[in-house]
Amino acid sequence: ALTPIFLDDLYEISKNTALVLFFDVKDTSIFLDDWLWSLLEEDYGSLPFNSILVVAAREALRENSWMDYGDAISWYQLEPFSKDETRQYLSHRGITNPKVIETIIYLSGCLPILINTLLPKNTENPDRLVDPSSTAVKYFLDQVDDRRNREVALTVSLSRLFNREIIEILYQKESANELFEWLKSMPFVEEAPHGWSYHDVVRSQMMRQQYRLSPNASIDLHKKL
């Protein structure tokens, strides 16, 4: 009901200027993917010709569904800042103490959301910075409702690479295949030449969280591996 009205408003705006619409979401597949498709298919009317859609999401748009628009789509993989970009950003935020900057770089892994979490009120004292790994893990796993799956994701982060046999070592053999298939589907997991691995920033934050919560248990898991 609201989309045709929304398009009418866009047409009024587009008479005077080009349009860029930004959609920043956690998961495109639940709702937004189909709605964007319906816009381009003109189910509710036409989009202004001088408009660009920008979608930032944890999950990519379903490529098979969007093949017809392949020539009109540019895909970008968003990565953490480089160390130089982080220093530049912190400088713009008024943080110039080299020790504070290097501590933020180490603790955040140059991930923008964690950099902002770490921005200190006292910009001269790096000891006042709190490890953001708990915040990071909540962010990485906020769509995982199953408590056991959350535990599996954290535990497997201790292994540089993982495969089905690694999960069998850590968990019961009869559940290893199910857990392995689930873990492969996570957005921070990528296929490597000799198995599967976590994104470096995700792995470092999860490992630090593990060691902070239970260092002895982490040592025992390393011995198993």
Side-chain angles (χ1 to χ4, degrees):
L2 294 177
T3 301
I5 301 171
F6 176 60
L7 290 175
D8 288 342
D9 287 342
L10 292 184
Y11 262 106
E12 287 300 314
I13 298 170
S14 70
K15 291 177 181 178
N16 300 313
T17 184
L19 288 172
V20 182
L21 303 179
F22 292 91
F23 300 90
D24 188 2
V25 294
K26 291 180 179 178
D27 188 348
T28 62
S29 62
I30 294 174
F31 176 78
L32 185 65
D33 209 334
D34 292 336
W35 183 74
L36 288 175
W37 174 262
S38 69
L39 286 184
L40 295 176
E41 290 291 290
E42 301 185 351
D43 291 347
Y44 304 101
S46 301
L47 273 171
F49 74 93
N50 57 341
S51 58
I52 297 174
L53 305 182
V54 180
V55 180
R58 184 176 300 174
E59 302 285 348
L61 296 170
R62 297 189 296 267
E63 290 193 44
N64 289 341
S65 303
W66 290 85
M67 288 180 62
D68 292 344
Y69 295 97
D71 293 339
I73 297 177
S74 295
W75 304 86
Y76 296 93
Q77 182 73 29
L78 298 180
E79 294 292 343
F81 288 162
S82 67
K83 291 182 179 180
D84 287 341
E85 288 170 336
T86 302
R87 294 187 183 100
Q88 183 181 15
Y89 176 74
L90 292 174
S91 176
H92 286 313
R93 297 298 299 267
I95 299 171
T96 56
N97 185 318
K99 289 185 178 179
V100 172
I101 291 173
E102 294 308 311
T103 302
I104 290 176
I105 287 174
Y106 168 71
L107 290 175
S108 69
C110 297
L111 195 66
I113 190 172
L114 298 184
I115 294 170
N116 280 318
T117 300
L118 284 164
L119 288 178
K121 294 179 181 178
N122 181 354
T123 60
E124 298 301 316
N125 188 355
D127 295 331
R128 298 289 298 275
L129 297 172
V130 178
D131 190 324
S133 57
S134 295
T135 300
V137 170
K138 287 179 181 178
Y139 175 74
F140 299 140
L141 299 178
D142 70 346
Q143 294 183 352
V144 181
D145 296 325
D146 188 285
R147 184 175 179 179
R148 188 190 185 199
N149 286 354
R150 294 173 69 91
E151 175 196 323
V152 169
L154 282 169
T155 301
V156 176
S157 72
L158 296 174
S159 182
R160 293 180 186 275
L161 293 171
F162 73 90
N163 51 36
R164 187 178 287 103
E165 292 179 357
I166 291 291
I167 295 179
E168 284 182 8
I169 291 171
L170 298 172
Y171 295 93
Q172 296 178 348
K173 186 173 182 179
E174 55 269 23
S175 61
N177 188 61
E178 177 186 347
L179 294 174
F180 176 60
E181 293 300 325
W182 170 78
L183 195 54
K184 284 195 303 178
S185 70
M186 294 302 292
F188 52 78
V189 170
E190 52 193 16
E191 192 165 359
H194 303 292
W196 284 260
S197 64
Y198 285 29
H199 190 286
D200 289 342
V201 173
V202 176
R203 180 171 182 256
S204 65
Q205 296 293 335
M206 287 188 176
M207 287 180 66
R208 285 218 307 273
Q209 171 78 331
Q210 289 273 77
Y211 281 114
R212 289 178 66 207
L213 291 175
S214 185
N216 289 331
S218 296
I219 292 171
D220 291 341
L221 288 169
H222 272 298
K223 288 178 180 178
K224 278 188 176 183
L225 292 169

